[in-house]
Amino acid sequence: MRSISLLILLAATLSLQAQTLTIRDLTCEHQNNPLGLDVTVPRFGWKLVSGQRGTMQKSYELRVGTDDKALVKGQKILWQSGPVASDQSVLVPYAGPAVTSRQRYYWQVKVADNKGNSSAWSEVKYWEMGLLKASDWTARWIESDLPGDSVNSPAPMLRNNFTLKKMVKSARLYVTSHGLYECYINGQRVGDQFLTPGWTSYNKRLQYQVYDVTSLVTNGANAAGVILSDGWYRGNLAWENNRNIYGKTLGLLFQLEATYADGSKEIITSNEQWKSSTGPVTRAGIYYGEAYDARLEKKDWSMSSYTAGDWHGVRAVNVSNDNLIASYAPPVKKHETFKPKSLKVTPQGELIVDFGQNLVGWVRFKANGKAGDKIVVHHAEVLDKKGNFYTDNYRAAQAEIVYTLKGGGEEVFEPHFSFFGFRYVKITSPNKLTADQITAVAVYSDMAPTGNFTSSNPLINQLQHNIQWGQKGNFVDVPTDCPQRDERLGWTGDAQAFSRTATYNMNVATFFSKWLKDLAADQVKNGRVPFVIPNVLGDSASASTGWADAATIIPWNVYYAYDDKRILEQQYESMKAWVGYMEARSRNDLWNRGFHFGDWLFYRPNDDTDGRSAVTDKYLIAQCFWANSTQIMLNTAKVLGKEDDVKHYTEWLKRIKDAFLKEYMAPSGRLVAGTQTAYVLALNFDMLPETLRAQAAERLAQNVKDYDNHLTTGFLGTPYLCEVLTRFGYTDVAYSLLLQETYPSWLYPVKMGATTIWERWDGIKTDSTFQTPGMNSFNHYAYGAIGDWMYRRVAGLRETAPGYKELIIAPQPGGNLKNATAELETLYGPAKSAWKLENGVFTLTAVIPANTTAQIVLPDAADASVTEGGVDVGKVKSVTAMTKEGTSVRLTLGSGTYTFTYGMKQ
Ligand code: RAM
């Protein structure tokens, strides 16, 4: 009897649990409790968690206040939305009274669903405003008064004592610099961010950071100390001794605001009373690395007990604060660490450490020795054919650490103002270091990981790993081409090619939003978009097709991945200006002028005996990208409701395509360039009339077969190659490319031991020699754009409405894969497609987030008897529609976890 009632109780709780509706992952402006926003209409997001299938949000209610304790009691409400009948749970705008500088706002949300469930009020979250007006800054910009302060000279240190007279309730530091800064208060490092204030087009947009320093300050005597370094501001950047790009002098702007327990305030600022000196960082640079002489450390220099007797003064200078902006993108932080996989002596007699992973960051080491002993660390991505340390591909980047010991015990070192792209380090040291003294630390923008892809093929899994590491290493505040040589610039073409894949692997919404603002800021007046952003190459280095189109492609991809309309509004003028430039420069509706990189680094056979080399006419490419950007403008204008522009771009699109056909296609449908890239672009961007597409796709497939299932595409054709093949029914050919292990292919580098994506298909040639050292990065993400196809087509998980409000799971088994899984943390929650084919039985596990709807397309299921969770699929309640499409079955259904099973021929 007792056990029965227990069972009933258990069943009741279980069903209760199944019906509970909860909320998780509350965000404001895509962030968790952001500190220091300057977005005046912040937007909220949340995810519904429900055990019930087919859950949709029916309504939500938001409330905001400045007192968290009162808020939970429903008191002192500053703004409440009231119940809003809506299924919007992503980027819902705040609509209360105007926000003010420094204010912290607390917020909560509750929701009701279509099943009659209501959630409780969520946990309380907050966002805090930064300094919204230039006049909020009372601090002065200060510069060191040290003689001979210029590029590559010792890093200046600035310090001052200050007093806080009463008990401190809270304290904030608002800080930025010309150059990089590292800040200390009372001997402790402020925050865990690196390479601050980040890299932007400084003269137009300089980020400041906001730190909660309440726990670092004390009632009474305090001190602040800041080290400055050349960084991107005035250090060597790009080539040919290019330096002082943004200015010649390093500077600091420091404003610490303390609120006392009694509510009164104290503001501590950088001013002419600060002192300056130099210390242990004797030289630092992005490309150079860092020289650190521990004998020059100034013990306790950021403590109030320190006497700065022989320190120099500082200059307070007048600098406009109009360019100051709050940081929006994720800060650069430390992530994974790696212990040495091996320590070995090379044939040349050098001691090298292998970390087993090409990564970006630095090496932390512990050492013992005499004062004056030097430890020198050099970095390399690869070893040469004979196993020797190889750095020719770093070009002029010295990428070295020179550490001078102070002696007297164990010393631990990590660089402060540089980063390196490496898998190996060579260490010279009087006392040999052992493996336990050395650790590699990966450093990159702190983006939330969102996606993963795995399959039964270990080489493909390694490829996915390489793609993700390419993203980590090259998303270091700006999207860079490479992290190791004297370049590391925000190359636009690379970024656009990889952008869609990037949205799968990590949440890159704010990362790209920030960088796109720099793109707009650095865009040339007539609309030309620079090759690199921030632009350090000059205005004429701009307007290359496929590079400049980052201006349209990336905003659209980010909008589509996150349903973030604001990014389209924010970029609209910039997008329009670039497309307007092409319109203005075109002749007879052809965009066929100027310099273009073209299908960069496409395959050039050594034995081009039959003249089939994969050269694609650059102007043909330009016409395709122009059409694509025009199409994006047309779509964007529709989203933003700009009717006149819709008309304008519709007309232009037709003209561009008509001109394309006249100029680049024979009446038979053959393109003047018979390359894979030509057909891929023409098909992907719908350049050809419908009637000619099938035969163009056939030519493309044939071309692939002619090369024995190898690709020949470069930066511009590669991202769309497999996608186009799939779209026109050649998924088998796409698989043959994905699984190709010989050069040129995605798996060739994997077979050669790559742990990241290479810049070139043959960075290491088949005879194990290297491509030209002038351009041979082993960590360059562009070709990693295949990741998109793996998620979208192999696993079949993709959005059919912006932000995954509607999605599709349509796996395409093939290529002898036994299984494949894509997982994606969407803004609505986790989505998943996991299929396997075992002994003729196909199983698909699909996870559809609450508050979304999905379609599932079951391949080869038309004649099969499909079950879901053991039940005939026709009887599954949350499946609202089922249709046969050729050999597939298409289902429409709501949220939940489903497992479909049926027999499939192999
Ligand atoms: C190289 C860069 C980048 C590419 C340009 C055109 O220098 O590494 O990848 O976009 O050239």
Side-chain angles (χ1 to χ4, degrees), residues 6 49 54 69 93 184 204 221 385 410 551 563 575 650 660 737 757 772 867:
L6 260 180
V49 184
K69 296 203 179 64
Y184 295 82
K204 299 158 199 155
K385 200 172 169 173
E410 186 177 75
D563 199 7
M575 297 165 79
T650 307
F660 178 86
L737 289 174
I757 300 295
T772 166
T867 58

Side-chain angles (χ1 to χ4, degrees), residues 282-302:
T282 54
R283 180 178 172 187
I286 302 283
Y287 300 156
Y288 163 68
E290 189 164 315
Y292 187 98
D293 187 340
R295 295 170 304 179
L296 303 177
E297 282 173 358
K298 293 195 153 75
K299 197 167 175 302
D300 296 339
W301 68 285
S302 67

Side-chain angles (χ1 to χ4, degrees), residues 603-665:
Y603 167 66
R604 284 173 202 261
N606 300 330
D607 54 344
D608 191 18
T609 42
D610 62 359
R612 289 187 311 174
S613 183
V615 185
T616 312
D617 183 307
K618 291 182 180 177
Y619 296 134
L620 177 153
I621 296 176
Q623 195 76 2
C624 292
F625 272 90
W626 181 23
N628 179 47
S629 280
T630 303
Q631 179 74 59
I632 292 174
M633 288 313 300
L634 173 53
N635 298 346
T636 305
K638 280 189 188 157
V639 173
L640 301 182
K642 296 181 187 283
E643 294 310 322
D644 291 352
D645 287 352
V646 171
K647 204 166 151 260
H648 174 88
Y649 294 115
T650 307
E651 283 163 16
W652 266 104
L653 193 57
K654 181 166 186 317
R655 286 168 59 177
I656 296 165
K657 289 185 182 175
D658 287 350
F660 178 86
L661 297 180
K662 257 199 237 149
E663 183 80 358
Y664 300 112
M665 194 191 75

Side-chain angles (χ1 to χ4, degrees), residues 239 395 481-482 485 487 491-494 531 547 597 600-601 715 759 774-775 777 780 782:
W239 314 281
R395 305 194 307 215
D481 60 329
C482 60
R485 66 185 181 215
E487 191 145 356
W491 279 95
T492 45
D494 309 45
F531 298 161
W547 270 250
F597 290 110
W600 192 244
L601 301 183
F715 274 31
E759 177 172 23
M775 237 184 55
S777 151
H780 232 79

Side-chain angles (χ1 to χ4, degrees), residues 204-260:
K204 299 158 199 155
R205 296 170 20 88
L206 174 60
Q207 304 184 110
Y208 62 88
Q209 280 76 44
V210 184
Y211 301 98
D212 182 346
V213 292
T214 314
S215 64
L216 300 184
V217 295
T218 157
N219 179 358
N222 293 272
V226 181
I227 318 177
L228 299 176
S229 179
D230 299 347
W232 297 286
Y233 186 80
R234 75 169 184 189
N236 288 50
L237 214 49
W239 314 281
E240 315 288 341
N241 243 347
N242 202 2
R243 45 173 69 169
N244 295 328
I245 293 181
Y246 298 97
K248 285 190 172 162
T249 319
L250 303 181
L252 170 69
L253 185 69
F254 177 105
Q255 185 158 314
L256 189 154
E257 304 196 0
T259 307
Y260 292 125

Side-chain angles (χ1 to χ4, degrees), residues 418-452:
S418 192
F419 62 91
F420 308 87
F422 65 101
R423 168 175 168 169
Y424 302 91
V425 292
K426 174 175 82 182
I427 303 186
T428 23
S429 145
N431 298 326
K432 218 173 118 186
L433 297 187
T434 54
D436 61 317
Q437 291 175 294
I438 311 163
T439 309
V441 185
V443 176
Y444 50 87
S445 285
D446 195 24
M447 304 159 290
T450 49
N452 210 358

